[in-house]
């Protein structure tokens, strides 16, 4: 379910294939299994865009998914992931250069539950230009089926994103490598943007309203 307070040229992306850019940031760039990083650390993407990760007091820990690792969820087997180290807090990723789109798979530290995750995109003026939630299932399948959570804009105007697990509350979580997207060009009108989403096979809506609790 996508939720956004008003129309903006930013859409929720629910598959990695929905981001067509050539840049990425692999968790292996941050470190090997067991590596810890303080909140506020930075890492470089393949194309040298610096990403700064801000989270809770306990920072972040690199873990391995699967029987041989310390995370037994539904990321891909043996994939390196970044854990919030027990902190149930929003994580902000800030980019030294503006991006058009970015996403990752995400899973809470509770492996047999449905959950809701949120993602907010901000421009260089710290304006929230896209606010979305998505529901998924957290399992022990160890098969790469973890929920993908991303955003894509019609221009290169995203300065940072913030992600979180919003329901159930109080859960720490992990996410995998970042994939970046190229801007969707030539989409001046909402109706045309919806045609783009349909053509891309994306079921999420670019214009909905914040779900009231």
């Amino acid at each position: 379910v996508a939720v956004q307070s008003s129309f903006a040229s930013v859409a929720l992306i629910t598959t990695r294939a929905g981001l067509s850019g050539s840049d990425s940031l692999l968790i292996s760039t941050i470190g090997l299994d067991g590596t810890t990083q303080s909140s506020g650390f930075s890492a470089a993407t393949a194309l040298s865009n610096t990403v700064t990760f801000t989270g809770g007091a306990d920072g972040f820990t690199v873990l391995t998914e699967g029987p041989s690792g310390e995370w037994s969820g539904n990321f891909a087997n043996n994939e390196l992931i970044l854990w919030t180290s027990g902190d149930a807090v929003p994580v902000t990723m800030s980019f030294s250069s503006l991006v058009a789109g970015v996403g990752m798979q995400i899973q809470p530290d509770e492996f047999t539950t449905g959950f809701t995750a949120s993602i907010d995109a901000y421009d260089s003026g710290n304006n929230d230009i896209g606010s979305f939630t998505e529901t998924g299932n957290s399992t022990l399948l160890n098969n790469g089926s973890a929920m993908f959570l991303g955003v894509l804009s019609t221009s290169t105007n995203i300065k940072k994103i913030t992600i979180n697990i919003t329901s159930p509350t109080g859960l720490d979580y992990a996410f995998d490598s970042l994939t970046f997207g190229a801007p969707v060009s030539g989409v001046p009108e909402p109706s045309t943007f919806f045609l783009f989403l349909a053509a891309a096979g994306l079921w999420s809506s670019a214009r909905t309203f914040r779900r009231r609790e």
Side-chain angles (χ1 to χ4, degrees):
V1 177
V3 290
Q4 191 174 14
S5 59
S6 60
F7 180 81
S9 50
V10 177
L12 175 69
I13 302 297
T14 60
T15 66
R16 202 175 296 272
L19 296 173
S20 60
S22 59
D23 204 6
S24 63
L25 194 158
L26 302 179
I27 300 301
S28 58
T29 303
I30 297 170
L32 301 175
D33 180 72
T35 298
T36 59
Q37 297 281 2
S38 300
S39 176
F41 84 94
S42 298
T45 69
L47 298 181
S48 301
N49 192 352
T50 300
V51 182
T52 300
F53 296 81
T54 305
D58 292 322
F60 301 90
T61 304
V62 177
L63 299 177
T64 300
E65 160 73 34
S68 63
E70 296 183 359
W71 189 275
S72 299
N74 59 338
F75 293 104
N77 188 41
N78 292 325
E79 182 180 18
L80 289 178
I81 58 176
L82 194 62
W83 176 45
T84 60
S85 300
D87 291 331
V89 296
V91 170
T92 297
M93 302 170 212
S94 303
F95 313 111
S96 60
S97 298
L98 297 174
V99 302
V102 60
M104 74 297 296
Q105 288 178 280
I106 185 171
Q107 183 182 23
D109 193 4
E110 173 60 56
F111 301 143
T112 56
T113 185
F115 70 97
T116 301
S118 65
I119 184 167
D120 288 81
Y122 298 85
D123 63 16
S124 56
N126 205 36
N127 300 299
D128 191 333
I129 57 175
S131 180
F132 305 95
T133 62
E134 184 182 353
T135 57
N137 291 310
S138 180
T139 73
L140 297 162
L141 292 176
N142 186 35
N143 64 353
S145 63
M147 185 178 77
F148 189 85
L149 183 67
V151 287
L152 182 62
S153 177
T154 54
S155 63
T156 305
N157 62 345
I158 298 174
K159 179 62 177 177
K160 68 179 182 180
I161 61 168
T162 297
I163 62 172
N164 197 15
I165 300 295
T166 58
S167 178
T169 59
L171 293 181
D172 56 281
Y173 55 97
F175 53 92
D176 70 354
S177 298
L178 308 186
T179 296
F180 293 85
V184 184
S185 60
V187 192
E189 298 296 334
S191 58
T192 310
F193 192 44
F194 292 142
L195 289 176
F196 151 72
L197 292 177
L202 304 178
W203 54 266
S204 57
S205 170
R207 183 182 186 183
T208 57
F209 293 92
R210 172 72 63 183
R211 181 169 17 185
R212 300 181 183 274
E213 297 185 358

